[in-house]
Amino acid sequence: MVIVTGLAVAGFFGVGTVLRWSVLRVLRETETLGPLAARVLPMLMVAFLFFFYNAEIWQVMVALSTERTWAVVGILALLTVLLVAVTTNDGLRSMLAEHASEREGIDVPPLRRSERFNLLLVPCLAALIQATLFAVVVFGFFMLFGWLSVSEATAAQWTGRPAQRFPGLLAQVPISPTLVKVSLTLAAFSALNLAASAAADRQHRERFVDPLLDEVVDSLQVRDAYVRAAASAAER
């Protein structure tokens, strides 16, 4: 009964459609990940390698529990979501104002709150998927780079503690928990940095953000055509 109720609620709110769109969007954004990483990653590494090879960040992360590490990552993720929402909303407002001026004299009802929310949600989700994929690339880079360049002796010297290993079967993996924490934190910060670049870098915005808003324009045009068609059918 609970499963049936859950499926009914999910169908009512269109969860299946959202999941399908999200999967397709991830596959689509994967194609743009190469140009995005080629543009942002080199300059980002200049700053992040300084932090990565700084003993202080290793000392901070070795003392953090797994729960507090995820709390730090969660705070950075929340800041990324807020920054993406604010940046996208600013672009959406200007785009809606331009669209309204173009359709002056056309009898189309104004957007409802739910419609405005959907128009904001689509580019926000796409931008967050983009930032998440970029963070995954950064995480993988620092995990590999740290495994190659930071020996256990160096990590022990930086942290002031003996080299750590994962418990159980993961003990055979030549990667320390501290390296995972450092890489995870830098990856989360890279997603926040990407969102900030979308707000401050005009070229980045034109290349990776404006295409998302162009999809909103297409959605508005489809909505206007549907409303006019429905109104004409009602008059007949």
Side-chain angles (χ1 to χ4, degrees), residues 46 143 192 202 231:
V46 173
M143 288 290 293
L192 179 60
R202 182 174 180 83

Side-chain angles (χ1 to χ4, degrees), residues 95 123 206 209-221:
M95 186 271 300
E206 290 177 352
V209 179
D210 287 350
L212 303 179
L213 295 178
D214 290 340
E215 296 182 12
V216 176
V217 175
D218 296 337
S219 300
L220 282 175
Q221 293 174 348

Side-chain angles (χ1 to χ4, degrees), residues 15-236:
V15 174
T17 302
V18 174
L19 289 177
R20 179 176 177 275
W21 177 88
S22 300
V23 171
L24 294 176
R25 192 74 209 197
V26 168
L27 297 176
R28 180 176 176 180
E29 292 300 330
T30 303
E31 299 177 357
T32 66
L33 188 60
L36 178 64
R39 174 175 173 78
V40 180
L41 198 57
M43 294 301 298
L44 188 67
M45 289 300 103
V46 173
F48 275 26
L49 284 177
F50 172 78
F51 292 109
F52 186 76
Y53 282 121
N54 195 312
E56 280 74 11
I57 189 173
W58 288 76
Q59 294 169 3
V60 170
M61 300 312 298
V62 75
L64 282 183
S65 63
T66 302
E67 293 76 12
R68 296 185 68 179
T69 301
W70 281 111
V72 171
V73 173
I75 292 173
L76 292 174
L78 179 60
L79 291 175
T80 303
V81 171
L82 292 176
L83 188 53
V84 167
V86 170
T87 303
T88 306
N89 188 51
D90 291 340
L92 183 63
R93 283 182 178 178
S94 60
M95 186 271 300
L96 288 177
E98 181 179 351
H99 182 74
S101 63
E102 292 177 353
R103 62 176 186 172
E104 287 184 358
I106 301 177
D107 187 17
V108 177
L111 293 172
R112 300 190 302 270
R113 287 187 178 181
S114 59
E115 291 176 327
R116 289 181 63 91
F117 177 77
N118 288 334
L119 290 177
L120 177 63
L121 184 63
V122 170
C124 278
L125 285 177
L128 290 174
I129 290 173
Q130 195 178 75
T132 301
L133 292 175
F134 183 72
V136 170
V137 171
V138 173
F139 175 77
F141 171 82
F142 277 115
M143 288 290 293
L144 178 61
F145 195 72
W147 175 63
L148 292 174
S149 62
V150 180
S151 64
E152 292 185 352
T154 301
Q157 183 179 6
W158 285 349
T159 60
R161 302 186 183 185
Q164 296 180 335
R165 287 293 181 89
F166 287 101
L169 296 177
L170 295 178
Q172 304 301 322
V173 178
I175 295 175
S176 68
T178 307
L179 174 60
V180 175
K181 294 177 183 178
V182 172
S183 301
L184 194 61
T185 303
L186 291 179
F189 191 76
S190 70
L192 179 60
N193 181 272
L194 185 68
S197 297
D201 189 341
R202 182 174 180 83
Q203 290 185 351
H204 176 92
R205 185 174 184 82
E206 290 177 352
R207 187 170 300 182
F208 300 107
V209 179
D210 287 350
L212 303 179
L213 295 178
D214 290 340
E215 296 182 12
V216 176
V217 175
D218 296 337
S219 300
L220 282 175
Q221 293 174 348
V222 172
R223 183 255 184 190
D224 293 345
Y226 172 80
V227 170
R228 290 196 298 268
S232 299
E235 292 175 356
R236 294 175 182 176

